[in-house]
Amino acid sequence: MARQTVVVLLVAVMVALIVGVDILVFRHHFWARLLANIGIVLIFAACYLRFVKGT
């Protein structure tokens, strides 16, 4: 149960961060926004694999 809660929190924070970065920084820059979103997802995936899945 605790693992599911952590995963839900990680996904919620990731979505909030992606939307915030899109709106505040990269509103009119499609390719920069796409690369930043991919980078954010990769960082969250690495944190999930390292800290949540590894335990």
Side-chain angles (χ1 to χ4, degrees), residues 20-41:
V21 167
D22 281 351
I23 290 172
L24 295 175
V25 180
F26 297 118
R27 181 177 294 167
H28 302 291
H29 306 284
F30 175 75
W31 291 108
R33 184 173 68 196
L34 180 63
L35 290 174
N37 290 344
I38 291 170
I40 291 169
V41 170

Side-chain angles (χ1 to χ4, degrees), residues 37-53:
N37 290 344
I38 291 170
I40 291 169
V41 170
L42 288 175
I43 289 170
F44 273 87
C47 290
Y48 170 77
L49 290 174
R50 172 66 172 102
F51 297 112
V52 178
K53 187 96 174 180

